[in-house]
Amino acid sequence: MNFIDSVTLEVADTAAAAHFYSTAFGLDPSRVRLRGSEAPTTGFRGFTLSLVVSQPGNVDALVGAARDAGAAVVKPASKSLWGYGGVVQAPDGTIWQIATSSKKDTGPVTRDVDELVLLLGVEDVKASKQFYVDQGLTVAKSFGGKYVEFASGPGTVKLSLYKRRALAKVAGVPADGTGSHRIVLSGAGSPFTDPDGFVWETSVPVKGTD
């Protein structure tokens, strides 16, 4: 079985990005890594990262911390049929959804993150689903050609697939974009590139963690 052990964001300024992610989200550097890149990219990069938290107050805390650290608020946090959430764009260009399925606070507000989810915007959900099944991933949820969620292990990054235009709409940005995705995925299997150009590398442990 294959999981995403970590994602690597390709950024123009690794020091600035590291400061942002540490200050805004306090993310585990073994799960979200950074790599310098000047690869051309414009518009929507075809993916979002999602921080799933336990309650609305935590969403507000993370959105506020991201804004204070230099992120742009793409969608202010608000209630919806499924819960509560907002969208921010980090200074490096990565789009982050911050959400909870809960509609009210049940405890002290924190910036604790319960789950990290990578949502890939793909042209053909069914074809990409089969591709990833062939790579060893296990489907946890599937809704025809609209959405697929794969099983994840403890401490891993959950992978989901959306139609590209649908994901851009959820994120609140135009769907058009060109150039590099500016993200690399890492797992236990052999390296490969998926049908939409997302690159997977073989996982390499962070120094001092093995």
Side-chain angles (χ1 to χ4, degrees):
M1 188 179 295
N2 208 339
F3 302 124
I4 301 177
D5 295 322
S6 66
V7 297
T8 298
L9 299 177
E10 297 184 329
V11 302
D13 186 332
T14 55
H19 177 74
F20 170 80
Y21 288 117
S22 174
T23 301
F25 300 148
L27 292 176
D28 183 346
S30 70
R31 294 290 169 259
V32 178
R33 305 181 184 189
L34 302 169
R35 178 186 299 169
S37 174
E38 296 292 345
T41 184
T42 64
F44 184 45
R45 297 177 184 175
F47 75 93
T48 68
L49 283 160
S50 184
L51 302 177
V52 180
V53 300
S54 63
Q55 58 184 8
N58 295 9
V59 172
D60 290 335
L62 285 164
V63 170
R67 181 190 60 239
D68 293 345
V73 178
V74 180
K75 278 188 174 183
S78 63
K79 293 181 180 179
S80 68
L81 291 175
W82 49 262
Y84 185 82
V87 180
V88 301
Q89 186 169 27
D92 65 83
T94 303
I95 295 174
W96 292 82
Q97 300 183 58
I98 305 169
T100 179
S101 59
S102 175
K103 295 188 178 182
K104 64 179 181 179
D105 292 338
T106 57
V109 171
T110 72
R111 285 195 286 158
D112 294 340
V113 174
D114 297 333
E115 194 171 43
L116 176 61
V117 183
L118 171 64
L119 301 102
L120 298 184
V122 303
E123 292 302 320
D124 188 328
V125 172
K126 289 183 178 180
S128 292
K129 169 187 171 183
Q130 187 58 53
F131 177 86
Y132 277 109
V133 168
D134 292 343
Q135 299 301 320
L137 277 75
T138 300
V139 174
K141 297 179 182 178
S142 181
F143 300 94
K146 296 182 178 180
Y147 174 77
V148 176
E149 180 181 299
F150 295 98
S152 58
T156 63
V157 181
K158 180 177 287 186
L159 175 64
S160 296
L161 307 177
Y162 269 101
K163 291 283 290 185
R164 179 185 171 97
R165 290 195 174 279
L167 181 58
K169 183 177 181 180
V170 169
V173 298
D176 296 333
T178 62
S180 173
H181 291 300
R182 289 287 189 99
I183 190 171
V184 175
L185 321 180
S186 297
S190 299
F192 63 86
T193 300
D194 82 0
D196 293 274
F198 290 99
V199 175
W200 284 64
E201 297 179 342
T202 303
S203 297
V204 177
V206 175
K207 292 182 179 179
T209 63
D210 56 354

